[in-house]
């Protein structure tokens, strides 16, 4: 079974620029998560989708971050404009069903550096 | 949303000793509690999980206990080995993670 795919793996941008990350979950997984992991901290949930609907985006900084999951499959996370404090690894994860009782499978992450 | 607290933040043990990491949660509706291991530069990997209908689950040297009344759950690693050295995270149903515990196993 193919795992969760993410691209790019690394991105370096200057502050105030825009950036987008892509995630393709495991085939058939209904729930998709985006996390931000700052160095030395635990993953912070940014947004959770069930199919193509948003379940939880309470921790997403909506003034600069946006995410979509068109057709309930792959997803993009965008930051516009980026700030220095956005430097982190952005992890995508998926699980088979919704309800918070299924195993999450994580992608390799995208390491973002904002200069 | 859920608030998950994890202790200790760092833990150092001698090879062969046991290690215990504890987490507390705030949402009494939470019913799924996974534990992840993350090695440097890698993605979190699920090592064990427990659902609220059981109090304990064991997988070889790893065990997790859950006390729903007190809203806390713990990870137990016995006979620790140097390859157990990593950062361990707990999480609750709505996928809020604890801050992590850096475990170092000294040979």
């Amino acid at each position: 079974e193919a795992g969760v795919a993410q691209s790019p793996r690394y991105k370096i941008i200057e502050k105030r620029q825009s950036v987008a990350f892509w995630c393709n979950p495991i085939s058939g997984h209904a729930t998709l998560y985006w996390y931000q992991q700052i160095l030395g901290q635990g993953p912070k949930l940014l947004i959770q989708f069930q199919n193509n609907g948003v379940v939880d985006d309470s921790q997403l900084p909506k003034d600069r971050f946006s995410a979509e999951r068109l057709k309930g499959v792959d997803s993009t996370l965008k930051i516009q404009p980026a700030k220095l404090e956005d430097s982190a690894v952005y992890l995508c994860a998926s699980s088979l069903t919704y309800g918070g009782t299924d195993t999450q499978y994580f992608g390799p992450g995208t390491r973002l550096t904002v200069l | 949303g859920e608030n998950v607290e994890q202790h200790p933040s760092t833990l150092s043990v001698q090879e062969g000793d046991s290690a215990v990491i504890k987490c507390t949660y705030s949402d009494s509706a939470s019913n799924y509690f996974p534990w992840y291991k993350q090695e440097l530069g890698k993605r979190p990997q699920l090592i064990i999980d427990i659902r609220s209908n059981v109090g304990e689950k064991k997988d070889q040297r790893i065990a997790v206990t859950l006390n729903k009344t007190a809203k806390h759950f713990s990870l137990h690693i016995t006979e620790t080995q140097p390859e157990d050295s990593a950062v361990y995270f707990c999480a609750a149903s709505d996928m809020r993670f604890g801050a992590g515990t850096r475990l170092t196993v000294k040979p």
Side-chain angles (χ1 to χ4, degrees):
Chain A
E1 165 180 276
V4 177
Q6 288 188 248
S7 67
R9 293 294 311 280
Y10 305 91
K11 189 73 177 178
I12 300 174
I13 62 172
E14 296 192 348
K15 59 183 180 183
R16 291 187 290 273
Q17 285 188 323
S18 301
V19 65
F21 313 126
W22 174 81
C23 172
N24 190 23
I26 293 173
S27 178
H29 278 200
T31 306
L32 185 147
Y33 310 81
W34 281 104
Y35 290 89
Q36 178 194 60
Q37 187 173 25
I38 294 172
L39 187 64
Q41 298 182 17
K44 173 187 174 183
L45 180 66
L46 294 176
I47 190 166
Q48 179 181 351
F49 292 94
Q50 182 188 4
N51 297 313
N52 61 349
V54 175
V55 172
D56 182 356
D57 63 356
S58 58
Q59 299 191 105
L60 186 73
K62 298 180 186 63
D63 57 335
R64 297 184 301 107
F65 286 64
S66 64
E68 59 183 11
R69 189 184 185 198
L70 299 176
K71 301 180 182 179
V73 182
D74 53 356
S75 175
T76 55
L77 176 69
K78 297 179 181 178
I79 307 175
Q80 181 179 10
K83 294 184 176 181
L84 296 177
E85 57 262 36
D86 298 332
S87 293
V89 174
Y90 290 84
L91 293 162
C92 179
S94 70
S95 62
L96 184 60
T97 62
Y98 171 69
T101 58
D102 267 336
T103 301
Q104 274 189 320
Y105 297 87
F106 283 86
T110 296
R111 183 176 299 277
L112 173 68
T113 302
V114 182
L115 302 175
Chain B
E2 178 70 90
N3 183 35
V4 179
E5 295 189 359
Q6 183 171 347
H7 300 279
S9 57
T10 60
L11 180 59
S12 182
V13 300
Q14 288 295 134
E15 183 176 0
D17 288 351
S18 296
V20 180
I21 303 169
K22 298 180 180 179
C23 287
T24 60
Y25 61 98
S26 59
D27 187 353
S28 56
S30 291
N31 57 5
Y32 176 65
F33 306 93
W35 284 91
Y36 294 87
K37 177 182 181 181
Q38 188 174 33
E39 297 175 333
L40 188 63
K42 297 188 177 181
R43 73 192 79 181
Q45 296 275 9
L46 179 74
I47 56 171
I48 196 168
D49 57 16
I50 191 168
R51 290 174 171 75
S52 60
N53 57 343
V54 298
E56 182 174 359
K57 182 177 178 180
K58 190 173 182 179
D59 182 4
Q60 299 182 353
R61 297 185 297 109
I62 296 173
V64 57
T65 58
L66 171 64
N67 183 327
K68 285 220 74 178
T69 302
K71 295 186 202 169
H72 66 72
F73 54 111
S74 300
L75 177 71
H76 305 253
I77 306 174
T78 59
E79 301 172 25
T80 54
Q81 301 167 3
E83 51 264 40
D84 294 330
S85 296
V87 179
Y88 291 81
F89 294 100
C90 61
S93 291
D94 65 355
M95 298 310 162
R96 260 59 170 182
F97 277 65
T101 297
R102 180 174 300 280
L103 174 64
T104 302
V105 180
K106 299 177 183 176

